[in-house]
Amino acid sequence: MTTHELKQPGVSMADKIARIDQICTQARILPVITIAREEDILPLADALAAGGIKTLEVTLRSAHGLKAIQVLREQRPELCVGAGTVLDRKMFAAVEAAGAQFVVTPGVTQDILEAGVQSDLPLLPGISTPSELMMGYALGYRRFKLFPAEISGGVAAIKAYGGPFGEVRFCPTGGVNPGNVKSYMALPNVMCVGGTWMLDSGWIKNGDWGRITDCSAEALALLD
């Protein structure tokens, strides 16, 4: 099935690519957030924002993911809130209804890629092979998450992708840390990185929001 055979959204693929570029370029670091307790939603987001991280990928890895997206969109409208770990069309529809501003998947299926084509929401599909990239490319996608980045070849792989896929840009996620983040961000076909190192579970459990703020600020400072 081609994009010409799919129900077309009001927003073109070119506009959605431009929106992903804007989101990722402004973010530089996209925190991959899993909410374990509902009471952590606002203080965690506030701690990240205080450190300069104002674009958030809230995953559906916990029962609180959809609620977190709804709460943040309603109560923190200054933040850019996306949904991560979206696995199928039903989850895509749910995060769209919750108010997510962008969608991220860990991998691809033909159905989820087609859902992204048909939606007005920008989708950043996750890939780990050239063949998966080409599935998305055939439907008009030019921006992808490389996941898990380090296991999938890391910096060397992204450099290699630049040859056959010159239009494509990436958000590498998985294994990105303070020791390698600058190497990723130095690549011309990397627009941002995803990470969790500023989201230590112990800090969150203990409400140590100041440490999260400091770590977020330090992470962004590595890229200045």
Side-chain angles (χ1 to χ4, degrees):
M1 185 177 289
T2 70
T3 52
H4 299 295
E5 298 170 306
L6 298 174
K7 175 187 173 185
Q8 295 300 306
V11 179
S12 70
M13 183 61 85
D15 286 342
K16 286 184 282 190
I17 291 171
R19 180 61 180 143
I20 285 287
D21 283 344
Q22 181 185 36
I23 290 167
C24 292
T25 300
Q26 289 178 352
R28 297 194 292 168
I29 297 175
L30 193 61
V32 182
I33 301 167
T34 301
I35 299 292
R37 302 177 302 193
E38 191 172 323
E39 59 265 31
D40 293 334
I41 296 170
L42 290 176
L44 176 56
D46 290 342
L48 290 164
I53 294 180
K54 299 181 180 181
T55 301
L56 314 179
E57 179 190 334
V58 179
T59 73
L60 300 192
R61 297 179 188 179
S62 80
H64 305 292
L66 281 176
K67 177 70 172 181
I69 292 167
Q70 292 170 334
V71 168
L72 291 170
R73 292 291 287 125
E74 291 168 3
Q75 300 190 38
R76 297 294 185 271
E78 69 278 10
L79 301 179
C80 181
V81 181
T85 320
V86 175
L87 304 180
D88 55 35
R89 188 180 286 266
K90 182 178 178 181
M91 294 171 76
F92 196 114
V95 300
E96 193 167 18
Q101 292 165 284
F102 62 97
V103 177
V104 186
T105 68
V108 292
T109 63
Q110 190 71 19
D111 193 50
I112 198 75
L113 289 170
E114 291 176 1
V117 170
Q118 294 166 341
S119 173
D120 286 343
L121 274 185
L123 169 63
L124 187 66
I127 62 99
S128 61
T129 68
S131 296
E132 292 167 335
L133 189 158
M134 289 174 67
M135 284 177 60
Y137 196 96
L139 290 175
Y141 291 93
R142 298 294 184 269
R143 305 293 182 261
F144 297 89
K145 177 173 84 167
L146 180 67
F147 177 81
E150 280 289 285
I151 295 173
S152 302
V155 169
I158 295 174
K159 285 182 179 178
Y161 279 126
F165 305 112
E167 295 177 81
V168 171
R169 299 181 73 199
F170 296 93
C171 169
T173 305
V176 181
N177 57 57
N180 61 23
V181 64
K182 291 179 72 172
S183 297
Y184 278 107
M185 287 296 291
L187 299 174
N189 54 346
V190 167
M191 52 190 174
C192 71
V193 299
T196 59
W197 72 91
M198 70 294 297
L199 299 166
D200 184 276
S201 60
W203 302 346
I204 297 172
K205 183 177 180 180
N206 296 326
D208 196 349
W209 310 120
R211 291 190 73 176
I212 292 172
T213 293
D214 290 345
C215 188
S216 299
E218 289 165 4
L220 289 173
L222 288 171
L223 306 180
D224 290 337

